[in-house]
Amino acid sequence: MNIQVLGCSGGLSGDNKGGSTCIQLNHNIVIDAGTGLNQLSLAQMHQVRHVFLTHSHMDHIAALPTFLSNQYGSEHLPVTVYAQAHTLEKLKNNIFNGDIWPELSSMTEGPEPILTFKEIHPGECIELEGMEIKAFAVEHSVPTVGYSVKSEGKHFVFPADTIAGKQLTEQLNRLGHIDTLMLECAFPDELLQVAEKTKHMTPGLLESTLKSLEQQPAELWVTHLKPSYEIALRKTLATNPPHKNTVVL
Ligand SMILES: Nc1ncnc2c1ncn2[C@@H]1O[C@@H]2COP(=O)(O)O[C@H]2[C@H]1O
């Protein structure tokens, strides 16, 4: 399984060229459609057939409308967008509503639509292209799922935007051995109250989450740093890495 983090910032600024959350699995699957998706060329976008969304927040869906419109002319239609009912409802009502962007799921190019929305539920596992992609519920300010991806003997887990706590620990422990755990760290410890209110992590919460796990992952990728705090967070995470193999993306 080839994992490319196309974007993972917790916000947008010219200092972070990657953009917001989008993780590409091999050529044809992405998790989230933040602005990192725009790193792909048109030809590469035409290879992406499956989009798994974690939640409805803008930094995770921003590139979806233009990405989907770019699919007109692709030979490999339709694109399937998987998400929980809440996320699909917000997309249909607030984005693909004919005002902000066309209702692409009902529009056709030739014999088939370019887009299919597919509701997923926490606990559901979808098998695609030799991968097992399982959604699991996490605690964030809107209904959110993380994804566990197993392929070729490797296990990649992305809990998306979430706060530390019993739910996250239990979900991660249930998943067994993890090769790569990609966990967020949005705010510094001084902003713990903001992190708690917005349901995000701090370095301290990251450390306590790692300590609460029955098995350590082989490596930890830290993601979703908020641009305003990125320099300070990188310094803290370099001085006191929460895991022996920590990579701050
Ligand atoms: N009370 C708050 N204080 C600071 N930032 C906030 C507050 N509420 C929402 N936000 C920001 O709004 C963002 C929405 O997306 P996120 O959950 O990634 O992160 C959130 C925070 O960056």
Side-chain angles (χ1 to χ4, degrees):
M1 165 170 54
N2 183 25
I3 305 168
Q4 293 287 335
V5 179
L6 299 175
C8 68
S9 178
L12 291 175
S13 77
D15 302 315
N16 192 310
K17 300 287 184 267
S20 66
T21 306
C22 183
I23 303 155
Q24 187 180 22
L25 307 174
N26 293 343
H27 294 297
N28 45 12
I29 298 172
V30 293
I31 297 177
D32 279 336
T35 63
L37 183 54
N38 294 330
Q39 304 281 332
L40 297 181
S41 67
L42 181 64
Q44 289 168 326
M45 285 187 183
H46 283 184
Q47 289 189 289
V48 175
R49 296 302 87 203
H50 306 277
V51 178
F52 287 82
L53 298 177
T54 59
H55 64 299
S56 58
H57 276 168
M58 184 59 93
D59 54 329
H60 296 254
I61 60 149
L64 188 62
T66 46
F67 160 79
L68 290 171
S69 289
N70 282 348
Q71 298 300 326
Y72 287 107
S74 165
E75 292 167 10
H76 313 288
L77 296 173
V79 172
T80 305
V81 176
Y82 305 80
Q84 287 196 97
H86 173 273
T87 308
L88 293 179
E89 182 204 322
K90 298 301 170 198
L91 284 175
K92 287 175 188 170
N93 291 344
N94 301 319
I95 307 282
F96 300 102
N97 57 11
D99 288 321
I100 301 295
W101 209 249
E103 298 170 55
L104 295 177
S105 59
S106 61
M107 296 169 72
T108 56
E109 165 84 348
E112 52 180 347
I114 63 160
L115 165 66
T116 306
F117 286 120
K118 188 170 185 322
E119 183 182 340
I120 51 161
H121 304 89
E124 191 175 341
C125 186
I126 290 176
E127 292 187 24
L128 274 180
E129 319 278 342
M131 291 184 202
E132 282 178 25
I133 303 176
K134 185 176 182 184
F136 59 94
V138 294
E139 184 183 358
H140 189 41
S141 52
V142 292
T144 301
V145 286
Y147 290 103
S148 144
V149 184
K150 288 184 178 169
S151 174
E152 298 162 8
K154 292 284 175 200
H155 191 188
F156 169 69
V157 175
F158 175 52
D161 291 15
T162 182
I163 190 163
K166 196 165 170 258
Q167 183 169 7
L168 180 62
T169 296
E170 284 181 0
Q171 293 287 21
L172 293 177
N173 281 335
R174 220 172 277 147
L175 291 171
H177 175 74
I178 297 170
D179 293 290
T180 303
L181 176 60
M182 183 167 164
L183 263 179
E184 68 128 299
C185 187
F187 293 105
D189 287 319
E190 306 83 80
L191 293 178
L192 178 62
Q193 281 189 333
V194 176
E196 285 174 341
K197 190 169 178 187
T198 59
K199 307 281 184 193
H200 280 293
M201 303 281 268
T202 67
L205 293 177
L206 204 52
E207 196 180 329
S208 62
T209 300
L210 267 290
K211 282 192 179 139
S212 72
L213 298 184
E214 288 161 3
Q215 291 184 55
Q216 289 300 298
E219 61 178 353
L220 174 73
W221 293 358
V222 184
T223 178
H224 209 271
L225 283 58
K226 292 284 176 189
S228 301
Y229 313 111
E230 183 165 345
I231 294 170
L233 283 169
R234 284 188 186 280
K235 210 178 273 179
T236 305
L237 293 164
T239 310
N240 190 17
H243 183 277
K244 64 181 170 113
N245 294 322
T246 297
V247 179
V248 183
L249 298 172

